Amino acid sequence: MTLTASRPTAVEPGRPQAKRPFRPLRLVLHLFLGLVALGWLLPLLLAVYASLRPYEETARFGYFSLPRSLTLDYYGQAWSQADLPKYYLNTLIIVVPGVILTLLMASFTAFAIARLRIPGRKVLLVVFTAGNLLPPQVLITPLYTLYTLIPLPWWLSDSLSLYDSYLGLILIHVAFQFGFCVFVLANFMRTIPEEISEAAMVDGAGVWRRYWQLTLPLCRPALAALSTLQFTWMYNDFLWALVLMSSGDKLPVTSALNNLRGQFFTDYNLLAAGSLLVALPTLIVFQLLHKQFVSGLTLGSTKG
């Protein structure tokens, strides 16, 4: 018995194609997704619109009125008045080492859980995952007390303690983001065929070589997705900087917006321009890594 593959019938030129049947549920789904997208974009668009208008105009006619004039002056004022270059540098001093240390240590631990025969590795993974469920607000008081008691040399901290130091802020970010990264990377490494690692072991590759030259390059999509998320989360942090630092010249850029608030009056159009400038680096990082970010999130979605 022979089977012949049926060829798809060609559509004759000029012959109308069959239309898809109308599905009310699909229309409702598209309307819902459009409303959700509009709900997310509306505050951002309103901030952009307000940053381009003089405050006197919006105070007189309202934020939703048609513009009489548009200007970019607020962006220059926010850049200089909030001293954004200095606060950008403070944020990079905290975020860049924090992201690198988090991903490096998490990849070490994830490789050990996914590839080495460690007793209790599943329990260890559950512990790391459960640590993400702990709200950070409950640790504010004990962490503040602990940071003031841990001594540091003068070249690491002016306060001679972990409190009010860049190192203390880096460590708290690494500690809170470590568990999530271990969970993601360990599950990602389990999707890599074990035959690759076994073949490397037969060729005489040690643990470090299997980790650094074999497993880590294959985890590039997951590392790119995690680096984007970690940069965004650490960059946008305001709580820990407010609790664990007291020197105004060391605070990250999220606190620079306080420099745009007056004692008796706040120009919210100027504040909107400053907020957009503060959010700009996260948009740049996402634009640079968006292909790897999407591939890291969708990898494995088609596996049965």
Side-chain angles (χ1 to χ4, degrees):
M1 180 178 181
T2 59
L3 297 177
T4 57
S6 59
R7 297 181 179 179
T9 57
V11 180
E12 298 180 0
R15 183 178 178 180
Q17 298 182 2
K19 296 182 179 180
R20 292 183 178 181
F22 176 75
R23 297 179 179 178
L25 291 179
R26 183 177 294 272
L27 178 61
V28 173
L29 176 62
H30 288 177
L31 289 176
F32 173 74
L33 294 177
L35 291 175
V36 171
L38 183 62
W40 279 97
L41 290 175
L42 188 59
L44 178 61
L45 296 176
L46 182 60
V48 174
Y49 182 51
S51 67
L52 298 175
R53 300 180 64 188
Y55 180 79
E56 294 78 10
E57 182 178 312
T58 55
R60 180 179 179 184
F61 301 104
Y63 282 96
F64 295 97
S65 60
L66 294 177
R68 272 67 175 176
S69 62
L70 298 177
T71 178
L72 296 174
D73 293 342
Y74 274 137
Y75 290 94
Q77 295 180 29
W79 181 269
S80 58
Q81 185 174 335
D83 201 6
L84 288 181
K86 181 184 72 174
Y87 289 98
Y88 279 138
L89 181 60
N90 293 344
T91 300
L92 291 179
I93 293 174
I94 298 169
V95 172
V96 174
V99 173
I100 295 175
L101 284 175
T102 302
L103 295 182
L104 192 62
M105 295 175 62
S107 62
F108 287 159
T109 309
F111 177 79
I113 293 175
R115 284 292 181 259
L116 303 181
R117 303 298 179 181
I118 299 177
R121 55 180 181 170
K122 293 184 178 180
V123 177
L124 187 62
L125 183 60
V126 171
V127 171
F128 284 128
T129 307
N132 296 320
L133 305 178
L134 184 66
Q137 290 80 5
V138 302
L139 299 176
I140 289 178
T141 301
L143 272 177
Y144 175 83
T145 305
L146 182 65
Y147 268 48
T148 57
L149 296 177
I150 298 177
L152 284 182
W154 62 268
W155 52 273
L156 278 178
S157 175
D158 296 333
S159 64
L160 301 180
S161 66
L162 199 57
Y163 176 75
D164 195 25
S165 66
Y166 290 125
L167 179 61
L169 211 54
I170 293 172
L171 291 178
I172 196 64
H173 285 310
V174 173
F176 272 93
Q177 303 302 331
F178 179 74
F180 173 77
C181 293
V182 170
F183 174 77
V184 173
L185 288 175
N187 287 283
F188 186 88
M189 290 179 183
R190 287 176 177 174
T191 63
I192 301 174
E194 292 189 5
E195 290 78 6
I196 299 176
S197 181
E198 293 174 354
M201 292 176 62
V202 172
D203 292 338
V207 175
W208 173 257
R209 191 170 184 180
R210 280 184 283 138
Y211 160 75
W212 186 256
Q213 296 184 359
L214 185 64
T215 305
L216 206 59
L218 296 176
C219 295
R220 186 177 300 174
L223 291 173
L226 284 175
S227 62
T228 307
L229 291 175
Q230 295 302 314
F231 181 89
T232 303
W233 291 341
M234 294 184 188
Y235 181 92
N236 290 330
D237 173 70
F238 180 74
L239 173 66
W240 292 121
L242 187 65
V243 173
L244 301 178
M245 300 192 80
S246 59
S247 299
D249 56 346
K250 291 182 180 180
L251 291 174
V253 73
T254 50
S255 61
L257 296 178
N258 287 329
N259 298 337
L260 301 178
R261 302 176 64 93
Q263 183 177 2
F264 303 105
F265 168 75
T266 299
D267 190 339
Y268 289 101
N269 293 24
L270 177 62
L271 194 61
S275 301
L276 294 174
L277 289 176
V278 168
L280 186 61
T282 57
L283 298 178
I284 295 175
V285 169
F286 180 80
Q287 184 63 29
L288 293 176
L289 299 176
H290 74 280
K291 291 183 179 180
Q292 292 81 1
F293 178 76
V294 174
S295 63
L297 293 181
T298 59
L299 194 63
S301 61
T302 58
K303 294 182 179 181

